[in-house]
Amino acid sequence: MARIVMKFGGTSMAGIERIRNVAARVKREVDAGNQVAVVVSAMAGETDRLVGFCREASSLYDAKEYDVVVSAGEQITSGLLAIALQAAGCNARSWLGWQLPINTSDAHGSARIGEIDTAALDASLADGVVAVIPGFQGVADGQRVTTLGRGGSDTSAVAMAAAMKADRCDIYTDVDGVYTTDPRIVPRARKLSKVTYEEMLELASVGAKVLQTRSVGLAMKENVRVRVLSSFEDGDTNDGHRGTLIVGEEEIDDMERQLITGIAHDKNEAKITLTQVSDRPGSVAAIFAPLADAGINVDMIVQNVAHSTGSTDVTFTVPAADLARSLDVLDKAKDAIGYATIVHDTRVAKVSVVGVGMRSHAGVASTMFTTLGERGINIQAIATSEIKVSVLIEEDYTELAVRVLHTAYGLDAEDAA
């Protein structure tokens, strides 16, 4: 008997028929003798609808009441799934975040999970009851409902798996696993049977939309084995394995290891250049400290060689959604920074290659730069980590870059059409 957490996203819960399909999947695990807790998202589009209501009610809404409203979507699907499971012959009940409880910080709208009390849940599971838990929500010390931020149900599921000491956390989505790149761009992309936590964390942070970044970081910290698989397919005809396992590096043997695991891209980037910044100690801090104080994440940074006039240009990227706020912050700090003009561009994209094999192999970056250069794709900025190389390019070249790099690193599937 195994203890399993199953998480279903919004597309899986979009309507009663899909909820019945989820109930059938859960019942198969129960019939196999497993103890099961299910974490559910709101129906697809429901959270956006509820957020819209809050904004209509007041542009300056109370964050505490916002959480009360937007957490309702998951409450509805958890109750509906419990009803569907009961109708299918399973003993099931729903648990809201405050009933367990799932204790969080009081940062409403972006709370972080502190601890989860599973005593009552453990007893219920031991009695053969399926637990249905709304993702995305918890409770703060003041007994107010909190939410974890968009995509937070993945984090809820991993946190529940860690607290329950589950054998595995299955994340059901509308894709059947993690691929070497987006198969809509590269039909020859391959589904990976296993990916390390570190690789998945990098892929999620640079544009792969399969898992929320926070959930992967938590899985790595708590050593939770995560499996990504499709809500709409029962099996995998490619390699006989269902989904992709996200595991520790020690679980991937040398035969399975490859130099590059995947290629991700992200078009939600904006490039900002400050011209003629004073070339003096503290000038760079004067740029990035106000942005950090405003909660704006800066990614790639390029500082040009100082001009003979004692000034330099500084280029960096921010999320496209934060461009307007970034420009406002920098405009207010212009005197403290000491720059001439701001130039910005949203017609850019970040393309990244990721793989733990980079640690022991030279030439990964060289292959990337050479391949892009041969196709006339100009690199505007570069960022690296131990297992990742990212470049900023013109947005129009994104798909070409992904395709040629996928081939250059030998990731194309041999049997693809």
Side-chain angles (χ1 to χ4, degrees):
M1 179 180 70
R3 178 172 281 195
I4 300 171
V5 172
M6 304 173 72
K7 184 265 175 179
F8 293 90
T11 54
S12 306
M13 305 299 292
I16 296 300
E17 284 307 312
R18 290 193 176 181
I19 290 174
R20 288 196 182 108
N21 177 61
V22 168
R25 289 183 177 276
V26 175
K27 187 175 187 300
R28 284 200 289 271
E29 295 288 357
V30 174
D31 290 344
N34 297 320
Q35 292 183 352
V36 180
V38 188
V39 175
V40 296
S41 296
M43 294 184 187
E46 181 65 7
T47 302
D48 287 336
R49 188 176 75 93
L50 296 173
V51 170
F53 285 154
C54 291
R55 290 173 176 164
E56 281 186 48
S58 172
S59 58
L60 299 174
Y61 51 74
D62 183 338
K64 297 182 178 66
E65 303 305 339
Y66 167 91
D67 278 354
V68 172
V69 174
V70 299
S71 63
E74 282 75 13
Q75 179 171 326
I76 290 168
T77 50
S78 61
L80 288 173
L81 180 56
I83 291 171
L85 284 165
Q86 292 165 2
C90 287
N91 192 0
R93 68 152 291 184
S94 61
W95 297 80
L96 300 186
W98 61 268
Q99 290 175 310
L100 287 169
I102 300 173
N103 295 301
T104 74
S105 67
D106 61 359
H108 289 272
S110 59
R112 303 190 75 84
I113 296 174
E115 61 178 359
I116 302 174
D117 186 345
T118 64
L121 181 64
D122 288 338
S124 181
L125 290 171
D127 287 339
V129 181
V130 177
V132 185
I133 302 163
F136 182 57
Q137 67 169 242
V139 61
D141 289 339
Q143 298 301 301
R144 296 301 304 257
V145 172
T146 56
T147 62
L148 309 182
R150 299 307 295 266
S153 291
D154 283 353
T155 301
S156 298
V158 172
M160 287 303 310
M164 294 165 49
K165 297 179 171 55
D167 297 281
R168 191 178 69 242
C169 178
D170 288 346
I171 307 287
Y172 286 83
T173 71
D174 52 2
V175 296
D176 63 347
V178 179
Y179 281 74
T180 48
T181 196
D182 188 339
R184 293 170 298 183
I185 294 177
V186 183
R188 297 177 69 88
R190 292 183 290 109
K191 187 176 74 65
L192 301 163
S193 59
K194 291 180 181 178
V195 178
T196 69
Y197 294 124
E198 288 179 280
E199 290 169 327
M200 193 66 241
L201 191 60
E202 290 283 15
L203 286 168
S205 69
V206 295
K209 302 297 191 296
V210 179
L211 288 173
Q212 186 209 39
T213 305
R214 275 174 63 186
S215 69
V216 182
L218 181 59
M220 181 166 63
K221 175 177 176 288
E222 300 294 338
N223 199 31
V224 174
R225 300 178 84 246
V226 176
R227 184 170 64 158
V228 178
L229 63 172
S230 173
S231 299
F232 309 109
E233 297 180 13
D234 288 328
D236 188 321
T237 58
N238 292 330
D239 58 13
H241 295 92
R242 296 183 63 206
T244 299
L245 277 170
I246 317 299
V247 294
E249 193 171 345
E250 67 280 358
E251 287 199 47
I252 301 180
D253 60 40
D254 290 337
M255 293 295 292
E256 296 175 293
R257 198 179 306 279
Q258 50 192 18
L259 176 61
I260 296 300
T261 297
I263 298 171
H265 69 281
D266 188 359
K267 295 183 179 180
N268 298 311
E269 295 280 323
K271 182 178 72 170
I272 298 174
T273 299
L274 302 185
T275 66
Q276 298 180 38
V277 177
S278 299
D279 185 29
R280 55 178 172 74
S283 60
V284 173
I287 297 171
F288 297 114
L291 292 170
D293 291 342
I296 297 169
N297 182 49
V298 174
D299 186 9
M300 300 177 171
I301 302 173
V302 177
Q303 181 172 353
N304 297 328
V305 177
H307 302 301
S308 58
T309 56
S311 64
T312 183
D313 296 343
V314 179
T315 298
F316 54 94
T317 62
V318 298
D322 289 333
L323 176 60
R325 283 201 305 135
S326 300
L327 296 176
D328 181 60
V329 168
L330 294 168
D331 181 62
K332 291 177 179 176
K334 182 174 183 178
D335 291 342
I337 298 169
Y339 63 86
T341 60
I342 299 181
V343 180
H344 64 274
D345 186 1
T346 58
R347 301 182 307 276
V348 294
K350 178 169 63 178
V351 176
S352 308
V353 297
V354 176
V356 293
M358 291 186 195
R359 289 176 177 150
S360 54
H361 292 81
V364 173
S366 174
T367 297
M368 186 181 202
F369 303 154
T370 300
T371 301
L372 296 177
E374 289 173 347
R375 292 302 184 111
I377 301 173
N378 186 46
I379 296 172
Q380 302 179 23
I382 302 168
T384 65
S385 74
E386 190 178 21
I387 64 169
K388 176 199 72 181
V389 180
S390 296
V391 296
L392 194 71
I393 63 173
E394 187 179 333
E395 183 182 47
D396 290 345
Y397 290 103
T398 305
E399 295 188 4
L400 174 61
V402 170
R403 286 196 296 269
V404 297
L405 289 172
H406 197 267
T407 299
Y409 289 110
L411 298 176
D412 291 347
E414 295 179 0
D415 58 350

